[in-house]
Amino acid sequence: MTATQWAMGAVGFGSFEFTGGGTFINLVAATTNALNGALLARRPDHYKNFTVVGILLMALLGGIGGGVSRDIMVGRVPAALTNSSYVVLCLLAGLIGYHLAYSEGQLFREGLFQFVTSFALPWYAIVGAQTGADVGLPVVGSLVLAVVGPTAGRFLIDVSCGVPPKQFVRGEWFVAVAALTGAVWIALDQAGLPRGASAPLAFLVGFAVRLAALYRGWEEPLATEPAGVYRHDDGRPLLGRKIAGKSVRELRLLGLTVEPHDR
């Protein structure tokens, strides 16, 4: 370690850095998201006969996907490519998640998965908001990064697993908690609070709201359907006026009729 690194409070060796310039919070966020990514890849609704390597890659997607997306959006070389700590710690977290995913009796550890999600989400949101402030983005731009950072990795995992991305389906205020955490940090930062204090406070707000949403069952409201909507058995919504007056043959061609069973 060089004298400059010591002076800046940076701790590391070679291409591995652990502190300095917000690195520690970034690593905490990436590592916990990687653990969450491995758990998610093993979750019954996501698992698709993945290999061990596949699960580790899912951990990498969860761990560095949000950070890489965030850094690219502000024109930076992603920190995960310049600091080897990210990849190594994410892979280690992936191995841990692989072994922790199931308890005795083959029950998925849903409680652990939800706790890790709740823990990682605010940290990555704070890092996103900090990045926006560091590059001089306005408040709205910083809020966008606060949402992209903690959610992009989950988006990549969901798409890779062939399930609807978490951002777009009903859940316990996933995107809203990220935005709330980022907004709290921005407000505290603009009020002049040191980052050593604003980050923990914003984390506590986001973490508390996320846990409360999980325990109380608070979920985003579903979109309202227009009047006259008809939902077919396979989930396709069709407005009533589009099927009104159609013959049996036309309905059959549209896949909207079922042949009667032989009596």
Side-chain angles (χ1 to χ4, degrees), residues 73-255:
M73 288 176 69
V74 298
R76 290 179 174 177
V77 176
L81 300 182
T82 60
N83 184 354
S84 301
S85 302
Y86 285 91
V87 173
V88 172
L89 290 177
C90 286
L91 289 176
L92 289 175
L95 285 172
I96 294 172
Y98 171 78
H99 289 290
L100 288 181
Y102 286 91
S103 61
E104 186 177 355
Q106 302 303 308
L107 297 176
F108 181 74
R109 295 183 186 270
E110 182 68 17
L112 175 63
F113 167 74
Q114 294 293 359
F115 179 83
V116 174
T117 300
S118 302
F119 186 85
L121 183 65
W123 283 125
Y124 243 138
I126 292 167
V127 173
Q130 288 181 347
T131 301
D134 290 341
V135 300
L137 292 181
V139 171
V140 174
S142 296
L143 283 176
V144 169
L145 292 185
V147 172
V148 169
T151 64
R154 176 62 185 266
F155 177 86
L156 294 173
I157 292 175
D158 287 343
V159 171
S160 299
C161 295
V163 301
K166 176 70 172 176
Q167 292 91 327
F168 307 134
V169 296
R170 197 173 193 185
E172 300 81 9
W173 298 99
F174 182 62
V175 173
V177 169
L180 172 64
T181 305
V184 171
W185 183 87
I186 291 171
L188 295 175
D189 185 63
Q190 293 191 347
L193 200 67
R195 291 192 174 183
S198 60
L201 288 174
F203 166 79
L204 288 175
V205 172
F207 186 59
V209 172
R210 174 68 178 175
L211 287 184
L214 287 169
Y215 278 103
R216 303 294 296 179
W218 298 336
E219 295 182 329
E220 300 100 331
L222 291 173
T224 57
E225 296 178 347
V229 72
Y230 171 84
R231 185 170 292 279
H232 189 47
D233 290 339
D234 63 4
R236 288 176 294 162
L238 292 173
L239 293 178
R241 64 177 181 272
K242 290 186 178 180
I243 63 174
K246 292 190 180 298
S247 66
V248 174
R249 177 177 175 276
E250 289 174 314
L251 292 175
R252 186 182 298 114
L253 291 175
L254 289 172

Side-chain angles (χ1 to χ4, degrees), residues 27-40 42 55-60 62-64 85-101 112 116:
L27 287 175
V28 170
T31 304
T32 50
N33 261 352
L35 175 61
N36 187 61
L39 291 172
L40 185 60
R42 299 275 280 163
I55 292 173
L56 292 179
L57 289 176
M58 291 293 183
L60 275 179
I64 68 175
S85 302
Y86 285 91
V87 173
V88 172
L89 290 177
C90 286
L91 289 176
L92 289 175
L95 285 172
I96 294 172
Y98 171 78
H99 289 290
L100 288 181
L112 175 63
V116 174

